Amino acid sequence: MAPQTTRRTLGAVLSLAAAATFVGAVPNAAAAPAKTIHPGVSVNYGDVTCTVGVVLRAGHQVYLAAPASCGGIDLGKSNQDGCSSPQTPVGSPVSIEGAKHPGTLVYSSFGEMQLHSDTNPNRCYYNDLTLIKVDRRDRARVSPAIPGVGVPKRVVAKLPAPQSALKVAGSAATAGNTHHDGWELDLSSPTAMWKTPDCGSPVTAGRNLVGMLLVLPKGPIPGAPVAQSPAATYNLWRSIRYLRHQHGFHHVHLAR
């Protein structure tokens, strides 16, 4: 009986080995797509290319957040605000770096303020947020992680105090003064960081999200260690709070 038992045992081992080989081959045959869409990639709507600041979601829908000013305000003109400037229409296609399919512009804070005839000066100038819906075929390509930072834990309600250590797109920066009733925060950094600034880049304090880079600094004076004027971010927490009061966006939150 011993030889027969040995043959059966050997057969069982071979069967398990074959099964393990088969199971191990499955992931290679259907490998998950690379996470090519994340904060920091570029998007284009209107005639301006901007940067994604954060990934949001509601249920199965995945959204990329970027500045509304990229789709309407002429950045070369002054005294323009979201309550009066022309806007790229909701429903417009959006080119997304790293995506295989165009996204769709589904929300603009500027458009909503105009729809509600808003005249609050702080909101008109500093409530600056659009949502771009990612095509369902590209959802598996999205990561909420900010390169060099990780996945943000929360959006801060109060802007950081002066001299707080921050990062803009993963590079070191320092908080300056807060203006306009807590809507705007100055940012400073060595000039090397501002050689190619990207409007919309995420601004973080540790793993907390402060906002998006929305005011780019003027160029440095020759020989000066810092830029002539500070960059700035706006209060993203307030923009998201405004978003959640609009029809269809009550349950939007940070993607995890």
Side-chain angles (χ1 to χ4, degrees):
M1 293 299 293
Q4 184 178 4
T5 303
T6 302
R7 285 196 297 271
R8 287 177 179 174
T9 303
L10 181 60
V13 170
L14 291 174
S15 296
L16 287 172
T21 302
F22 177 75
V23 170
V26 172
N28 295 330
K35 303 295 185 180
T36 54
I37 306 170
H38 51 77
V41 302
S42 62
V43 290
N44 184 282
Y45 49 100
D47 294 322
V48 180
T49 297
C50 276
T51 296
V52 171
V54 62
V55 178
L56 303 172
R57 69 178 304 144
H60 295 296
Q61 301 294 350
V62 178
Y63 305 107
L64 308 179
S69 47
C70 291
I73 286 180
D74 183 344
L75 300 178
K77 296 181 180 179
S78 60
N79 297 322
Q80 295 190 93
D81 65 84
C83 293
S84 60
S85 300
Q87 284 294 291
T88 301
V90 166
S92 297
V94 181
S95 173
I96 302 171
E97 179 186 1
K100 290 187 175 294
H101 309 278
T104 305
L105 187 67
V106 294
Y107 169 83
S108 166
S109 59
F110 289 0
E112 287 295 329
M113 291 189 295
Q114 292 176 25
L115 183 65
H116 293 92
S117 301
D118 200 338
T119 58
N120 181 291
N122 285 328
R123 278 198 301 270
C124 288
Y125 278 97
Y126 307 110
N127 182 18
D128 195 346
L129 175 68
T130 54
L131 294 190
I132 300 155
K133 185 172 73 174
V134 176
D135 188 284
R136 61 180 179 79
R137 293 166 290 182
D138 278 324
R139 288 175 192 163
R141 302 180 188 280
V142 179
S143 168
I146 299 170
V149 175
V151 179
K153 293 181 178 179
R154 65 187 181 98
V155 182
V156 297
K158 184 179 180 181
L159 296 176
Q163 303 307 310
S164 297
L166 304 175
K167 286 187 175 182
V168 178
S171 297
T174 304
N177 294 321
T178 300
H179 307 281
H180 308 292
D181 192 30
W183 270 98
E184 183 183 34
L185 175 70
D186 290 341
L187 304 169
S188 61
S189 179
T191 53
M193 174 184 164
W194 304 124
K195 288 181 179 179
T196 55
D198 296 312
C199 188
S201 296
V203 179
T204 53
R207 291 275 298 279
N208 295 325
L209 187 64
V210 176
M212 298 182 288
L213 180 65
L214 285 161
V215 176
L216 306 184
K218 294 179 181 178
I221 299 172
V226 296
Q228 282 182 272
S229 65
T233 183
Y234 300 160
N235 194 315
L236 180 61
W237 183 87
R238 294 184 182 182
S239 291
I240 292 177
R241 181 177 64 175
Y242 183 91
L243 162 74
R244 287 175 177 159
H245 282 87
Q246 310 312 312
H247 178 69
F249 298 101
H250 305 311
H251 303 294
V252 172
H253 57 86
L254 279 178
R256 299 298 184 187

